[in-house]
Amino acid sequence: MLDMSGFPTELSGENTPMVSFRKVRKSYGALTVLDDLDLDINAGEMVSIIGPSGSGKTTVLRMLMTLEQINSGVIYVDGQPLTHMPKGGKLVPANERHLRSRRADIGMCFQHFNLFPHMTALENCMEGPVQVLGLSKAEARDRSEELLELVGMIAKKDQHPSRLSGGQQQRVAIARALAMRPKVMLFDEVTSALDPEVIGEVTNVIRGLVSEHNLTMLMVTHQMGFARDISDRVCFFYGGKIEEQGHPSELFGNPQRERTQQFLSAVREAV
Amino acid sequence: MFDWKWEFAWEILPRLVTATGNTLLAAGAGYAIALVLGLALAIAQRSPYRGLTFVVREFVEFIRSTPLLLQIFFIFYVGPQFGIRLSPWMSGMIAIGLHYSCYLSEVYRGGIDSVPKGQWEAAIALNMTTVQKYRRVIIPQAIPSALSGMGNYLVGIFKDTPMLSVIGVAELIHTANAIGSEHYRFLEPFTMVGIIFLAISLPAAGLIRLVEGRVRRKLGLK
């Protein structure tokens, strides 16, 4: 039995972060992907995660979305434990019922969109609100059409994903995630699978979300310029830890750690 | 040598038509059982409960590795020793349904496995329950690739119904054999049974392909 005494059953207080990783560890056999990660993200904050492949960036998002289990530590969302649940004043690993109740706060967009191919763009967006949130079809349709309008896809609402370009699919995927009204949005390399000429249409949508919505966002990206433009904070991951983090102007303009400098110069050379 | 008697053929036709109805009923009922039970077996094999997964997998292997005929005999003749007394009809449909459910579970399993991992993850990200995941996301995508296998087994079940004759179900072969024994003429009844099987199997196979294409289009897949 792991000692859970260092982890409170909930976080409270004025400055409770929206997302909090506390000593989170994840390994696959002998390979440690996340090494006692501590990371707080405040409500309304836009945080980008950059770093070399294999540094654990995507794993952070996947654990927050509960797609993967953590080995130790606790993740809190909006003050409540996500990966664990309180039982008799202590935290025990979460069961599926607890996960379902907490997961509602989180939405995610994937590198390969993962739209449902057997549904139209509109049906993709309505699926969660109708099935999971229990909205009426009319309510779900209104909400979905509003969001498809927001991402500029209303004209294609009756198309199946196979008829849409990558950029269009990703915009629908963003609308689908937003239709669940999450508090935290996760973007996992959402432009990596796109043709260069359509990257802009997706980044513009995300830009709009940053300026107009009070969403908490966590984004894994390889697009340094984009991360620099829109993030409140950038975290450089290396070897399953945050090697360096800070305001984008500092981290990109004046990186302190040698590994950060190496990574950034390697990325710049590649461009 | 070859003395086909039209008169006799005409005379026995009504009995064969009735028997065709029985054959179709047995095949249809068996298939219905197999479709539902097969899906349950396929999903059970993916459950997170290791014990259940193990038991179901072994059961499917066991049924697939023993002859249908043995299973029919077992249910009909051995069942009563355990207090399970079933009519030939019930025994037959259960045996065929059970046998083919194991084959269909493999077809479903292949279909479910062909759904990309990202679809499961998207379903989790929308906070769906396990039932919602299967019903709304996974099964609709698994069925199109499973359709051709499902169709093959429908024809397979149809062709296996004669096995039920061994426990006295009055399907086509059983009836043809009875007619032959009564009149000492086998040419007409068995030839007619062959034609009936062909006349049903061939269009059925074509129909299945048609349905397959239509379902795929309806789901927006290629």
Side-chain angles (χ1 to χ4, degrees):
Chain A
M1 195 66 199
L2 286 164
D3 180 23
M4 299 302 294
S5 58
F7 300 102
T9 54
E10 63 174 16
L11 307 180
S12 56
E14 216 167 286
N15 293 320
T16 302
M18 180 55 83
V19 174
S20 185
F21 285 74
R22 300 277 174 101
K23 297 227 170 308
V24 172
R25 175 176 284 273
K26 174 72 182 175
S27 52
Y28 302 103
L31 178 72
T32 300
V33 186
L34 286 180
D35 190 4
D36 287 350
L37 174 72
D38 287 310
L39 174 64
D40 282 354
I41 297 159
N42 295 318
E45 198 179 13
M46 168 62 159
V47 175
S48 291
I49 298 177
I50 61 170
S53 58
S55 59
K57 320 185 286 292
T58 288
T59 308
V60 171
L61 300 193
R62 293 177 59 80
M63 291 191 314
L64 193 47
M65 193 65 257
T66 69
L67 300 176
E68 281 175 47
Q69 290 186 341
I70 65 177
N71 294 116
S72 63
V74 178
I75 302 174
Y76 297 87
V77 175
D78 203 11
Q80 303 295 316
L82 169 76
T83 52
H84 294 72
M85 55 186 186
K87 194 176 180 183
K90 281 201 305 191
L91 287 180
V92 297
N95 58 20
E96 179 59 26
R97 179 200 291 255
H98 178 81
L99 288 180
R100 281 205 76 232
S101 74
R102 303 304 310 144
R103 203 150 47 199
D105 287 344
I106 306 157
M108 183 163 182
C109 295
F110 300 88
Q111 181 178 356
H112 297 288
F113 335 126
N114 301 352
L115 289 176
F116 303 133
H118 55 301
M119 300 179 193
T120 64
L122 181 63
E123 286 165 350
N124 264 281
C125 295
M126 289 172 61
E127 184 65 15
V130 170
Q131 300 293 331
V132 179
L133 303 182
L135 263 61
S136 74
K137 286 222 164 135
E139 286 172 295
R141 182 183 305 267
D142 286 348
R143 183 187 284 194
S144 300
E145 286 183 343
E146 202 174 295
L147 287 164
L148 286 170
E149 183 85 57
L150 178 80
V151 301
M153 285 298 295
I154 194 72
K156 303 261 184 189
K157 71 183 165 89
D158 294 322
Q159 300 283 353
H160 281 90
S162 57
R163 304 286 301 273
L164 302 175
S165 73
Q168 291 172 331
Q169 288 190 54
Q170 193 62 284
R171 286 188 280 153
V172 173
I174 292 172
R176 176 175 72 174
L178 289 173
M180 299 298 283
R181 301 260 162 96
K183 295 175 183 163
V184 184
M185 271 287 278
L186 310 177
F187 296 99
D188 184 16
E189 299 191 26
V190 288
T191 57
S192 295
L194 300 179
D195 291 332
E197 72 272 20
V198 299
I199 287 176
E201 64 191 52
V202 172
T203 53
N204 281 339
V205 167
I206 297 174
R207 244 180 255 272
L209 294 179
V210 172
S211 58
E212 285 163 35
H213 294 258
N214 195 34
L215 270 169
T216 306
M217 290 189 260
L218 189 52
M219 174 171 87
V220 169
T221 185
H222 292 292
Q223 285 194 280
M224 299 305 146
F226 183 50
R228 179 177 198 151
D229 278 2
I230 68 161
S231 309
D232 300 310
R233 178 157 48 117
V234 179
C235 299
F236 172 67
F237 267 66
Y238 191 91
K241 277 179 184 290
I242 297 177
E243 179 81 13
E244 185 171 354
Q245 60 177 316
H247 191 270
S249 61
E250 292 162 27
L251 192 116
F252 287 111
N254 185 20
Q256 300 298 306
R257 311 280 292 207
E258 201 184 334
R259 280 179 181 137
T260 319
Q261 293 162 0
Q262 281 169 356
F263 174 75
L264 289 175
S265 66
V267 170
R268 282 193 190 110
E269 267 168 41
V271 171
Chain B
M1 185 184 96
F2 189 80
D3 60 339
W4 175 273
K5 286 195 174 153
W6 283 106
E7 206 177 310
F8 179 59
W10 193 246
E11 188 190 316
I12 63 174
L13 187 62
R15 281 179 76 184
L16 288 180
V17 168
T18 309
T20 304
N22 286 347
T23 292
L24 287 176
L25 188 64
Y31 194 56
I33 294 173
L35 279 182
V36 176
L37 191 60
L39 186 59
L41 291 174
I43 291 174
Q45 287 190 56
R46 296 189 66 106
S47 92
Y49 308 105
R50 295 265 172 83
L52 178 68
T53 309
F54 176 79
V55 169
V56 170
R57 199 160 286 168
E58 292 304 308
F59 174 76
V60 168
E61 270 316 300
F62 170 72
I63 294 286
R64 286 182 355 131
S65 313
T66 52
L68 172 60
L69 196 57
L70 177 69
Q71 290 154 18
I72 294 172
F73 277 141
F74 211 87
I75 290 175
F76 186 64
Y77 290 116
V78 184
Q81 293 203 4
F82 296 94
I84 304 165
R85 250 166 247 283
L86 298 168
S87 67
W89 264 100
M90 279 301 271
S91 309
M93 283 186 298
I94 290 175
I96 282 191
L98 201 65
H99 187 80
Y100 274 93
S101 71
C102 291
Y103 282 96
L104 275 172
S105 80
E106 293 295 300
V107 172
Y108 285 127
R109 218 156 64 91
I112 291 171
D113 286 345
S114 74
V115 178
K117 200 166 144 254
Q119 293 292 311
W120 292 90
E121 295 183 346
I124 295 174
L126 289 182
N127 206 9
M128 288 184 170
T129 62
T130 303
V131 173
Q132 287 168 341
K133 274 181 233 168
Y134 275 106
R135 194 169 61 85
R136 302 291 307 177
V137 178
I138 303 304
I139 292 173
Q141 294 183 66
I143 294 299
S145 57
L147 268 178
S148 65
M150 289 163 72
N152 288 342
Y153 284 124
L154 174 59
V155 176
I157 277 191
F158 178 61
K159 289 193 300 177
D160 267 356
T161 46
M163 294 219 194
L164 300 185
S165 63
V166 298
I167 53 170
V169 172
E171 49 64 64
L172 273 167
I173 301 280
H174 189 270
T175 306
N177 197 31
I179 292 170
S181 313
E182 289 161 23
H183 298 86
Y184 304 106
R185 288 196 65 88
F186 290 93
L187 173 67
E188 289 84 358
F190 280 126
T191 307
M192 287 162 80
V193 166
I195 291 169
I196 290 172
F197 268 101
L198 202 63
I200 293 173
S201 291
L202 282 183
L207 200 68
I208 287 159
R209 270 195 294 277
L210 211 71
V211 169
E212 200 183 332
R214 190 161 292 183
V215 168
R216 282 173 165 273
R217 268 196 302 284
K218 189 155 179 248
L219 296 178
L221 308 166
K222 286 145 281 161

